Amino acid sequence: MCGIVAYIGPKEAYPILVKGLKRLEYRGYDSAGVAVLNGALHVYKKAGKVSELENYTIGKDVSATIGIGHTRWATHGVPNDINAHPHLSNSGNLAIIHNGIIENYDSIKQELIKRGYQFHSDTDTEVLVNLIEEVRKQENATLEDAVRIALNEVVGAYAIVVIDRNNPNQLVAARKGSPMVIGIGENEFFVASDASPIIEYTKQVVYLDDQEYTVINRDGSFYIKTLGNVIKSHAIQKLEMSLEMIEKGGFEHFMLKEIFEQPKVIADAVRGRMNAQDGWIKLGGINEYLNKFANAKRIIFSACGTSWHSAMIGEYLIEDLARIPVEVEYASEFRYRNPIINEDDVIIAISQSGETADTLAAIEMAKERKAMIYGICNVIGSSIARASHAGSYTHAGPEIGVASTKAFTAQITILTLMALQLAQARGTISSSKLREILVELENIPAKIERALKLDEQIKEIAAIYKDSSNFLYLGRGYNFPVALEGALKLKEISYIHAEGYPAAEMKHGPIALIDENMPVVFLATNASAYEKIISNIQEVKARKGKVIAVVNEGDKHVRSLADHVIEVPATEEVLSPLVTIIPLQLLSYHIAIMRGCNVDQPRNLAKSVTVE
Ligand code: M6R
């Protein structure tokens, strides 16, 4: 986590850094800082949001044309002014910003202490900058060489930028396991965790690969080398992102904007990838590996959080439609539990950010065991996308709200296309059924539009239950992962304890929780389990629980039992998560707002979890 940004060029660095940090705040927001170099090296840092830093720097000397900035998600040391980045070396000559974790920092720290170094913060980053300083002293090395040698001694993940008080004409930046992009402007360069701080200045970028570093000079020259000191050629890429995409566009919060973007997101996700009339599907990446997929003994999904919920829906879709056995793994468990992986397994990693440390490590492990890796990512050029043999982008546009919404529905859309394409290739679906589902997939954006119109009604329900301490979310079949996702949305942004369960599991434990204070959200749209879910609703009502039911438009039966019904347009059961999740996203959004929570930047969280 953490966001980093750096600038060198003819412009004032400070405003570029601060604006960049605000855009990167989704990556961490417990403290922020900048270092600017104008003869003297000025470091300003503050606990809290970037706005606290801005207030703190009012009237201070920030005028410089080179600088580095950081917004933090604490790993080592509590969020306070001292632990905030940038960190200085003992001599005060070097300043560093760092996104990642240095795992062997403690042993290095003890060694440096023996050599007389003093530490002021609790961070691993302060250890790294002093290690670079020590290497530089011992080896009489240039900054570039010192950074490279030091990085070869550390274990862990990093994206770092280092500047030297005595050289205002150079930045040295390196990455391993944490993202980094270099923006190339007119006689100016930017370095950042993602392209959002860069987009308004240049569209020309280079993505640094793992274990690479760059030396950027004010005279306009720069080069990239591996940590083994081998020069690397680099391809300059054109950013597809626009400024509009990373702004709120009239919505009060990014989360709300992203919820309302979903009709367009689904339409974009299927564009050019299917044709309902002709009954074809061409998902990039699957085509080249169709045989591998179609003959796979097993598909294993690996993901975290919301992306793991998408993976569960992927399991239901692929087993149901294409009849290939599927397993769904939490990446954090998968990577460490010595799983059995065969060459004829296909591993699908799902990740919005494409940077989640556990998911990335899981696919690296599976790759070593010769499995084929398919990545479903939103962020173009992200580490997981690049580490995969093939894959599909979700093309949902930047998702900035920490709570994932549009990325979830975009992932499910891709998984639906994948399941259908595999089903077609394996002959497990009739062409008429295939066309029926594809036609309905084309109708989904309009159905989501209709579901979004329920916003006011959902707001009223939110007002009734906003002070509840607990929520249960229950669903069956395709709606079970939706229940899990609904519960995650509520807890992460409103801090209300919420749990999702398969509806039938309720009587094996959670039913003990039900009383008149327990709101239970039922997903009651699937025809295949309708009668059974009615029984589950009755079981809750018999114990005085409050029932909020998401049903198909026109449903009378559930209405007669539930305290509140939210009517969404009916659709094919395999597509139902795309519609039923919408009211749950809105419910959590409104409850969080009514509780005064910061929905875009919930406490303790960060958008992309690049640490274990
Ligand atoms: O970027 P990823 O999809 O790999 O992220 C995985 C999770 O960290 C993420 O989905 C998280 O659970 C969201 N905050 C949930 O809204």
Side-chain angles (χ1 to χ4, degrees), residues 13-276:
Y14 178 80
I16 294 171
L17 298 178
V18 167
K19 201 187 244 188
L21 289 180
K22 286 190 176 161
R23 298 220 174 112
L24 291 172
E25 238 178 354
Y26 74 91
R27 301 179 63 87
Y29 33 83
D30 58 42
S31 55
V34 292
V36 289
L37 181 53
N38 58 9
L41 184 55
H42 300 281
V43 176
Y44 305 110
K45 42 194 204 169
K46 267 283 161 236
K49 298 265 165 80
V50 179
S51 53
E52 308 276 337
L53 173 71
E54 270 187 301
N55 291 336
Y56 176 65
T57 53
I58 291 171
K60 299 209 163 58
D61 182 4
V62 291
S63 179
T65 55
I66 176 171
I68 56 180
H70 187 272
T71 179
R72 180 169 185 248
W73 185 86
T75 56
H76 295 70
V78 295
N80 60 20
D81 294 357
I82 294 173
N83 288 331
H85 298 214
H87 287 283
L88 288 177
S89 62
N90 273 195
S91 68
N93 283 338
L94 302 182
I96 191 172
I97 47 174
H98 169 214
N99 166 28
I101 289 186
I102 305 302
E103 289 168 16
N104 58 341
Y105 83 102
D106 198 40
S107 55
I108 298 172
K109 186 173 182 175
Q110 298 318 318
E111 186 54 40
L112 289 171
I113 288 171
K114 278 192 215 147
R115 295 183 192 198
Y117 282 82
Q118 289 180 347
F119 291 90
H120 310 285
S121 74
D122 305 317
T123 65
D124 49 344
T125 307
E126 195 187 6
V127 175
L128 179 57
V129 72
N130 281 305
L131 176 64
I132 296 169
E133 176 148 296
E134 175 63 7
V135 170
R136 201 175 177 197
K137 210 162 68 189
Q138 293 301 326
E139 311 269 332
N140 197 16
T142 60
L143 180 60
E144 171 192 345
D145 289 342
V147 167
R148 190 188 58 251
I149 294 165
L151 290 179
N152 278 303
E153 284 183 34
V154 304
V155 177
Y158 48 78
I160 59 164
V161 186
V162 188
I163 54 174
D164 176 359
R165 174 166 65 179
N166 299 310
N167 186 0
N169 300 319
Q170 191 176 74
L171 295 171
V172 178
R175 73 157 282 196
K176 182 182 166 210
S178 301
M180 179 173 278
V181 54
I182 306 165
I184 303 163
E186 286 275 310
N187 297 320
E188 62 183 355
F189 293 92
F190 308 79
V191 178
S193 300
D194 71 27
S196 62
I198 297 175
I199 185 74
E200 67 194 89
Y201 309 104
T202 178
K203 293 222 165 196
Q204 309 292 313
V205 295
V206 173
Y207 292 95
L208 215 61
D209 270 325
D210 249 3
Q211 317 233 33
E212 287 182 356
Y213 69 93
T214 179
V215 178
I216 299 173
N217 298 307
R218 189 182 290 280
D219 65 9
S221 64
F222 81 106
Y223 52 85
I224 295 174
K225 284 184 172 179
T226 65
L227 288 180
N229 204 14
V230 175
I231 201 96
K232 283 285 298 278
S233 60
H234 51 266
I236 296 182
Q237 299 187 26
K238 191 160 185 286
L239 279 180
E240 286 179 20
M241 195 191 272
S242 72
L243 198 54
E244 193 184 46
M245 284 168 147
I246 55 169
E247 287 176 343
K248 285 191 196 146
F251 284 89
E252 217 169 315
H253 298 97
F254 282 111
M255 182 182 176
L256 193 62
K257 175 189 171 219
E258 288 157 7
I259 291 174
F260 275 81
E261 274 175 354
Q262 289 174 107
K264 180 176 178 302
V265 163
I266 310 296
D268 288 348
V270 299
R271 185 165 300 117
R273 287 169 162 168
M274 57 163 270
N275 182 304

Side-chain angles (χ1 to χ4, degrees), residues 304-307 350-354 356 359 402-404 411 485 488-489 492 607 609:
C304 304
T306 290
S307 297
I350 307 184
S351 174
Q352 186 286 131
S353 61
T356 299
T359 311
V402 165
S404 193
Q411 288 165 350
E485 175 61 7
L488 176 61
K489 286 294 83 88
E492 73 179 320
K607 184 71 182 161
V609 185

Side-chain angles (χ1 to χ4, degrees), residues 344-453:
D344 44 15
D345 289 336
V346 171
I347 311 292
I348 304 179
I350 307 184
S351 174
Q352 186 286 131
S353 61
E355 300 296 344
T356 299
D358 283 321
T359 311
L360 186 57
I363 62 173
E364 296 294 1
M365 176 272 290
K367 241 161 113 178
E368 276 168 27
R369 297 177 188 202
K370 310 271 181 279
M372 184 239 165
I373 314 291
Y374 192 88
I376 299 179
C377 297
N378 192 36
V379 177
I380 294 169
S382 54
S383 302
I384 293 171
R386 285 185 295 150
S388 304
H389 296 114
S392 292
Y393 284 116
T394 46
H395 293 307
E399 190 180 64
I400 293 168
V402 165
S404 193
T405 52
K406 64 176 180 173
F408 178 64
T409 43
Q411 288 165 350
I412 302 170
T413 307
I414 299 297
L415 292 166
T416 306
L417 291 176
M418 176 186 277
L420 288 170
Q421 189 171 352
L422 294 180
Q424 190 178 37
R426 289 167 56 86
T428 53
I429 191 167
S430 68
S431 45
S432 58
K433 186 68 197 168
L434 177 78
R435 281 207 184 89
E436 233 172 271
I437 298 176
L438 289 178
V439 167
E440 186 56 10
L441 189 52
E442 285 183 335
N443 293 334
I444 289 291
K447 294 197 170 178
I448 295 180
E449 290 285 6
R450 253 157 63 198
L452 289 168
K453 295 219 161 69

